[in-house]
């Protein structure tokens, strides 16, 4: 696998892990159990925005990038998006805590781990040991947008840039 581009079919065997939100484990410190998110399978019948960030609870990711997506849920739904999948190199427990810290309580936005940075590494979209900052839109299995930030910027992967291409 190399970097994805518009028109590509989303690859097979892409799996992330995440902890589904449940109210009984709603506290940030409550530990749920991770399950596999089979992205290749899920993306075949959905319009999905996959957003990758260098790390949970890091300044740009928290204060601008992910809050941008959370603030535009209504616009994303209006544009036909079925799900937003946020990934980072952190494990599923940390990603789950990050989602809960942001009061995300349903699976329109899920916070998942790109375990061992496998997917981002396969794309060549990493930042040192971390996942790079990028956004990919997959519409029923086909890539319709795929952009990685060339620098430590927030531009092509922002919710505004993604919405403009939906
Ligand atoms: C950020 O600003 O989001 C960031 C800072 C350091 C490492 C990774 C991400």
């Amino acid at each position: 696998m190399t970097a994805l581009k518009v028109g590509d079919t989303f690859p097979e065997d892409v799996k992330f892990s995440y902890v589904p939100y449940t109210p009984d484990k709603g506290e940030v410190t409550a530990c749920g159990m991770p399950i596999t998110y089979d992205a290749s399978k899920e993306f075949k019948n959905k319009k999905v925005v996959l957003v990758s960030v260098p790390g949970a609870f890091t300044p740009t990711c928290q204060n601008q990038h992910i809050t941008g997506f959370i603030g535009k849920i209504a616009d994303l739904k209006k544009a036909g998006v079925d799900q937003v999948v946020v990934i980072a190199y952190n494990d599923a427990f940390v990603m789950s805590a990050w989602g809960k810290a942001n009061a995300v309580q349903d699976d329109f936005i899920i916070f998942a781990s790109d375990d061992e940075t496998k997917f981002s590494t396969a794309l060549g979209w990493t930042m040192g040991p971390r996942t790079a900052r990028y956004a990919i839109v997959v519409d029923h299995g086909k890539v319709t947008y795929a952009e990685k930030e060339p620098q430590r910027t927030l531009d092509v992967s922002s919710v505004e840039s993604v919405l403009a291409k939906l």
Side-chain angles (χ1 to χ4, degrees):
M1 200 195 310
T2 52
L4 289 171
K5 55 183 190 323
V6 172
D8 285 349
T9 299
F10 192 78
E12 294 296 329
D13 295 323
V14 177
K15 292 186 172 79
F16 305 127
S17 63
Y18 82 115
V19 179
Y21 177 86
T22 55
D24 61 312
K25 304 264 191 207
E27 295 291 323
V28 175
T29 51
C31 306
M33 283 310 291
I35 59 169
T36 298
Y37 181 89
D38 187 335
S40 304
K41 190 169 157 218
E42 296 286 339
F43 290 8
K44 280 192 173 112
N45 56 11
K46 288 186 180 74
K47 186 170 180 177
V48 181
V49 182
L50 177 63
V51 192
S52 170
V53 296
F57 296 104
T58 58
T60 309
C61 307
Q62 172 58 38
N63 298 334
Q64 298 172 51
H65 203 178
I66 289 320
T67 31
F69 279 89
I70 293 170
K72 298 275 186 197
I73 286 176
D75 301 75
L76 290 160
K77 285 185 175 171
K78 213 163 116 190
V81 172
D82 297 301
Q83 196 166 45
V84 175
V85 179
V86 178
I87 56 168
Y89 87 122
N90 305 93
D91 70 27
F93 297 107
V94 172
M95 293 305 284
S96 164
W98 195 29
K100 289 190 278 189
N102 280 283
V104 173
Q105 298 186 342
D106 71 41
D107 66 2
F108 180 73
I109 303 185
I110 66 166
F111 287 74
S113 172
D114 181 10
D115 298 287
E116 296 164 24
T117 324
K118 272 194 209 125
F119 175 66
S120 300
T121 299
L123 295 183
W125 285 0
T126 52
M127 197 180 90
R130 297 171 179 271
T131 39
R133 194 182 301 286
Y134 59 87
I136 298 172
V137 179
V138 183
D139 192 348
H140 294 79
K142 286 276 174 205
V143 174
T144 59
Y145 185 75
E147 293 290 340
K148 173 189 164 296
E149 300 290 348
Q151 309 287 338
R152 283 180 168 253
T153 46
L154 175 53
D155 179 14
V156 292
S157 66
S158 70
V159 71
E160 290 79 10
S161 295
V162 169
L163 278 169
K165 297 287 179 180
L166 289 173

